[in-house]
Amino acid sequence: MGFMQWPGVPAIQFWYYWFLDNYCLLNLATREYKMIVVPQDPDELCICGLAYDCNSDDYKLIVSDESYDKISAIQVYSLASDSWKSIPTCIPYTFPYRSYIPESGVFFNGYLHWLALNQSISKVIVSFDVSDERFKEVQLPNESWKHGCQAIFLESLGVPEGRLCVLVKKDYFGPDARLEFWEMLDYGVEESWTRRYIITHEIIMMDNNFRMMWSFKNGKFLFLSSGTLALYDPEDGSVRGLNSKHDIYFMDGASYFESLVSLKSGTYFRGDDRVEELREP
């Protein structure tokens, strides 16, 4: 299961999940949901993403599979027309960060973003313009990250402070092992990448599956780490686990903004089902 956010665009929250070859769009505020049949085999999907197209005032779901180390077509679902269309393309990327579920794209500035490798086995950020429906690359902070350095691992993308950010692990098992938090101050400008924080806390460094979730006004950051929520305080470098009283293992997640936008499905989940929210600590 995953859920998406759209900073800086008309607010809505959707959850989507794969269930019996379907995706489900869900508005938590209204409890309305909509089941969507995916035109590709869900087991073969490598990327997915949900985004708002401000040019057409439409919400789009993007999915694609990976064949012979490239993506040859993407499928785009339009909420406005309630239909899918296939867009032939040829982008020579692989998405090694996927697990048993498709890698969720991070939406920012009209683009969905994923971490990927190109044909030269170089680390890149691949973006998809939801209006023009085309792919392009977003340059990383330093060329040395991309070539011949096995001690550098791109871990996660996010938009925790209203800017595109990337988490990078360096010297993974060495004495200088650390996690660096980089932020793109001016979107699309490579020179604007700025390193904000260095994290060395063992709870974060020992985890191989985590992502950025949210930044609070008090300067703390929320991470999803090994199925639990972890709160990082850059002021003193501390990390505190936020244990769920229901002992829930979180497979995936993201922040959302409330909205009354309708899915035009007329189907709702039960009013007695509980949804809990995490408030600022």
Side-chain angles (χ1 to χ4, degrees):
M1 178 180 290
F3 37 102
M4 312 298 293
Q5 67 170 350
W6 297 272
V9 302
I12 187 173
Q13 76 273 14
F14 285 142
W15 286 11
Y16 66 88
Y17 67 90
W18 171 80
F19 177 71
L20 297 179
D21 296 349
N22 293 339
Y23 271 71
C24 177
L25 302 183
L26 168 64
N27 187 323
L28 286 175
T30 64
R31 299 177 179 265
E32 184 180 15
Y33 69 91
K34 184 181 183 69
M35 302 300 296
I36 302 173
V37 178
V38 180
Q40 292 176 298
D41 184 351
D43 292 334
E44 300 298 327
L45 296 180
C46 64
I47 58 173
C48 64
L50 189 61
Y52 174 74
D53 182 353
C54 61
N55 289 342
S56 61
D57 189 24
D58 190 11
Y59 291 88
K60 296 179 178 179
L61 173 64
I62 290 88
V63 299
S64 183
D65 58 5
E66 185 179 291
S67 178
Y68 302 105
D69 296 334
K70 67 180 181 181
I71 288 179
S72 57
I74 61 170
Q75 308 294 329
V76 179
Y77 171 81
S78 164
L79 179 62
S81 65
D82 189 24
S83 63
W84 288 90
K85 69 176 178 180
S86 180
I87 303 176
T89 185
C90 184
I91 58 170
Y93 300 108
T94 57
F95 296 85
Y97 302 90
R98 60 177 289 198
S99 55
Y100 51 89
I101 58 176
E103 183 68 18
S104 299
V106 172
F107 182 66
F108 179 68
N109 205 39
Y111 294 83
L112 282 164
H113 303 79
W114 296 271
L115 293 172
L117 296 175
N118 61 20
Q119 287 184 316
S120 301
I121 317 299
S122 299
K123 304 173 181 71
V124 297
I125 298 175
V126 176
S127 68
F128 179 76
D129 188 325
V130 298
S131 295
D132 292 343
E133 298 178 340
R134 296 180 180 179
F135 285 93
K136 72 173 187 178
E137 287 186 20
V138 176
Q139 295 301 312
L140 289 166
N142 191 319
E143 281 294 325
S144 66
W145 289 15
K146 307 179 197 177
H147 303 284
C149 184
Q150 298 301 318
I152 293 178
F153 301 84
L154 300 182
E155 296 290 343
S156 176
L157 290 172
V159 194
E161 294 186 313
R163 297 188 180 96
L164 184 65
C165 300
V166 61
L167 294 177
V168 184
K169 272 188 179 179
K170 293 189 175 182
D171 197 23
Y172 207 107
F173 299 106
D176 298 321
R178 63 195 183 277
L179 180 72
E180 296 184 353
F181 182 108
W182 287 77
E183 190 174 72
M184 192 177 231
L185 301 181
D186 188 2
Y187 183 77
V189 179
E190 180 180 357
E191 293 75 18
S192 72
W193 280 108
T194 301
R195 188 175 66 186
R196 290 288 308 277
Y197 308 108
I198 297 177
I199 304 173
T200 58
H201 197 284
E202 61 180 5
I203 292 179
I204 298 295
M205 292 305 300
M206 292 176 62
D207 188 12
N208 295 323
N209 183 22
F210 65 91
R211 65 171 55 198
M212 292 178 279
M213 298 289 294
W214 187 254
S215 61
F216 295 101
K217 293 180 180 179
N218 60 11
K220 297 180 182 180
F221 292 88
L222 185 68
F223 294 92
L224 181 61
S225 175
S226 294
T228 62
L229 296 174
L231 191 67
Y232 168 69
D233 187 347
E235 186 171 333
D236 58 12
S238 64
V239 176
R240 178 168 62 92
L242 304 179
N243 296 326
S244 169
K245 62 182 179 181
H246 300 298
D247 194 26
I248 297 174
Y249 182 91
F250 295 92
M251 296 175 59
D252 198 358
S255 53
Y256 71 89
F257 299 94
E258 290 191 348
S259 170
L260 299 179
V261 173
S262 174
L263 303 180
K264 300 179 181 179
S265 67
T267 54
Y268 300 83
F269 66 89
R270 296 178 307 176
D272 57 348
D273 289 336
R274 297 182 59 188
V275 177
E276 297 189 10
E277 298 182 65
L278 176 69
R279 297 297 183 179
E280 181 174 345

